[in-house]
Amino acid sequence: MRRKPVERLVAEGGKGEGGSLRRSMGMWQLTMISIGATLGTGIFVVLGEAVPDAGPAVILSFVIAGITALFSALSYAELAGTIPVSGSSYSYAYATLGELIAWVCGWCLILEYGVSVAAVAVGWGQYLNELLSGTIGVTIPDALSQPPGSGGIFNLPALLVVMLAMVFLLGGAKESARANTIMVAVKIVALLLFCGVALQGVKSGNYANFMPMGMAGVSAAGATLFFSYIGFDAASTAGEEARNPQRDLPRAIMLSLLIVTTLYCLVAAVAVGALPWQRFKGSEAALAGILKEVTGQDVWAVLLAAGAVVAIASVVLTVLYGQTRILFAMSRDGLVPRVFSKVHPKSGAPRANTVIVSLFCGVLAAAVPLGQLADATSIGTLFAFALVNVAVIVLRRTRPDMPRSFRTPLSPLFPAVGFLLCVYMMGSLSPVTWAVFGIWMVVGLVVYFGYGMRRSRLAPSEK
């Protein structure tokens, strides 16, 4: 139950084995990291799942999901400005709830980030094939472009996109942030292009039966869509590489959530206006299909596929970045091997950490059937979100006079609501997901009591 003082967490910020991380990011780059990790496969494929539940009222579902995410985002913004370090919710829990809870939170984040990188990378190959087919008429054979269990042997594109992200990350945070900013700009343009073209096919009659399934359908779709918002916490993992984290991190988190919610609602409004809601069922590429139907040409769908390829690559880059920085913080605290906190003096990047994590995620994406394991990213994320809301309440009580660059309004009410919403969302997940989560937690506790607890920098022998 030992806690790491906030002052010590902040004082150690950026310091690793053999070097230090470099503070090179401003608010714009931090916002792009958050958008990069959030705005990806969700909006390109999720409409086919959500629209049949809510009908045209899926627009409201996006708003409800955004409000649900907002409560946790407010708590993240307060703690990111108060404890601006790389560990995200792991470090926040360490300062407020104790080492064991922090370890459990960090272990959840490893599951969230690691598996989501692999799961997103798997989908990259499918969009790449769509782009290749529409441009040069050639596709990568299923044996080398599909995951095992889906007709493939080894998913080469999945490994390729992870290795590409690794190359950017090895160059340093500044170079990675620049590449991510370009990719985020491309995918935002792709979505705005969709809206501009598909707007020509919007018919007012498609909105007529606005809420066919009632409020229950809107809520069900909102629960599905909530996971399209997971990723805004990625900005908090850059706390030790931001130039002015106390000021910029809260702003980046809130601004990214606003931009993503606006884009989601805009795309959804145009999509259900251009295509009757009954025809969305079973469509994994609804946006591309809408563009083909409205224009009668394949070129727009090809452009959208290009945007999706860039969008998914951006998610892989930013989520992989977050994974390495969380392991960096855990390693510095002694809970995982020190190799993860070694910093290259020239690039200011944790190179060994980056290579190990990238190879693991790349092989996982290319050679292991993920199946239901991918759903475990949701439960790991929600658990971490819930702990962040609790941490805000605890820190307000234990350190009420601590300077805060951003304060969650109506605390402890808003953090409590955020906590309850996360618990509610976790309860809606399948028994299989809970079983995977339980096994992962047991493994994590074995690792902690067998390794981390004794090697912790806060252990008596390390003081």
Side-chain angles (χ1 to χ4, degrees):
M1 300 306 296
R2 53 199 175 209
R3 300 177 185 178
K4 189 170 184 179
V6 174
E7 290 77 11
R8 181 170 173 180
L9 275 167
V10 176
E12 292 178 357
K15 297 177 182 176
E17 297 282 333
S20 298
L21 302 178
R22 295 176 182 171
R23 295 194 178 275
S24 58
M25 297 190 208
M27 190 194 77
W28 183 245
Q29 289 90 345
L30 295 171
T31 304
M32 291 300 103
I33 286 176
S34 188
I35 295 175
T38 307
L39 190 65
T41 51
I43 190 59
F44 286 98
V45 301
V46 79
L47 286 176
E49 300 174 20
V51 172
D53 288 336
V58 71
I59 305 163
L60 298 181
S61 300
F62 271 113
V63 174
I64 291 171
I67 292 172
T68 303
L70 175 64
F71 285 102
S72 293
L74 290 169
S75 293
Y76 262 99
E78 175 168 328
L79 292 178
T82 308
I83 313 173
V85 293
S86 289
S88 186
S89 49
Y90 154 77
S91 295
Y92 310 152
Y94 210 164
T96 56
L97 304 173
E99 185 174 280
L100 178 60
I101 301 298
W103 167 264
V104 170
C105 185
W107 195 245
C108 286
L109 291 173
I110 291 173
L111 176 68
E112 172 200 344
Y113 281 80
V115 175
S116 62
V117 166
V120 170
V122 166
W124 190 73
Q126 298 168 12
Y127 280 102
L128 181 63
N129 263 343
E130 283 188 32
L131 180 61
L132 292 174
S133 175
T135 51
I136 60 176
V138 176
T139 59
I140 303 170
D142 284 351
L144 294 177
S145 65
Q146 295 292 333
S150 299
I153 299 172
F154 189 84
N155 193 330
L156 186 61
L159 178 62
L160 177 64
V161 71
V162 176
M163 293 300 100
L164 186 63
M166 180 187 75
V167 171
F168 281 117
L169 291 174
L170 289 176
K174 186 176 181 180
E175 290 71 17
S176 303
R178 185 181 293 119
N180 174 66
T181 299
I182 295 171
M183 287 190 281
V184 169
V186 169
K187 62 184 175 182
I188 289 176
V189 168
L191 290 173
L192 293 176
L193 181 67
F194 164 81
C195 292
V197 175
L199 193 63
Q200 303 170 41
V202 169
K203 298 180 178 66
S204 59
N206 289 337
Y207 299 109
N209 189 11
F210 189 70
M211 202 180 292
M213 308 298 179
M215 198 61 206
V218 174
S219 299
T224 301
L225 293 170
F226 173 79
F227 304 111
S228 300
Y229 288 89
I230 289 173
F232 66 80
D233 57 319
S236 65
T237 64
E240 296 174 23
E241 290 162 289
R243 289 194 292 267
N244 191 345
Q246 285 88 350
R247 182 195 68 188
D248 293 340
L249 281 175
R251 293 180 180 181
I253 290 171
M254 301 311 299
L255 181 59
S256 65
L257 189 62
L258 176 63
I259 292 172
V260 167
T261 303
T262 302
L263 273 172
Y264 282 167
C265 292
L266 182 62
V267 171
V270 173
V272 295
L275 187 71
W277 68 269
Q278 299 91 338
R279 294 174 54 187
F280 277 83
K281 190 171 184 179
S283 174
E284 292 186 355
L287 301 187
I290 290 170
L291 290 182
K292 284 183 181 179
E293 183 159 326
V294 169
T295 64
Q297 300 175 1
D298 290 338
V299 62
W300 299 108
V302 170
L303 288 174
L304 191 71
V309 167
V310 174
I312 296 174
S314 173
V315 174
V316 171
L317 175 64
T318 50
V319 175
L320 194 65
Y321 168 85
Q323 173 77 98
T324 60
R325 270 43 180 187
I326 289 164
L327 282 169
F328 175 86
M330 296 176 74
S331 172
R332 186 172 55 204
D333 293 333
L335 301 184
V336 298
R338 292 187 177 183
V339 65
F340 290 102
S341 58
K342 288 185 177 179
V343 177
H344 192 272
K346 185 177 181 180
S347 65
R351 286 193 169 180
N353 179 345
T354 302
V355 171
I356 293 170
V357 171
S358 300
L359 289 176
F360 175 81
C361 292
V363 172
L364 184 68
V368 178
L370 293 175
Q372 293 266 3
L373 186 61
D375 293 337
T377 62
S378 299
I379 198 168
T381 304
L382 286 168
F383 188 84
F385 282 14
L387 288 181
V388 168
N389 285 295
V390 173
V392 168
I393 297 173
V394 171
L395 200 61
R396 285 283 189 101
R397 289 186 175 275
T398 57
R399 301 293 300 276
D401 299 327
M402 177 176 290
R404 290 168 170 84
S405 58
F406 178 89
R407 299 178 72 89
T408 303
L410 298 180
S411 181
L413 177 60
F414 274 20
V417 171
F419 172 80
L420 292 174
L421 287 171
C422 290
V423 172
Y424 170 75
M425 291 286 185
M426 290 174 71
S428 68
L429 296 172
S430 69
V432 174
T433 302
W434 275 98
V436 171
F437 182 67
I439 293 169
W440 181 254
M441 285 296 101
V442 170
V443 173
L445 291 174
V446 170
V447 173
Y448 173 71
F449 287 110
Y451 180 91
M453 185 175 71
R454 294 173 179 80
R455 295 177 180 267
S456 167
R457 298 288 174 87
L458 296 186
S461 60
E462 291 284 345
K463 287 182 179 178

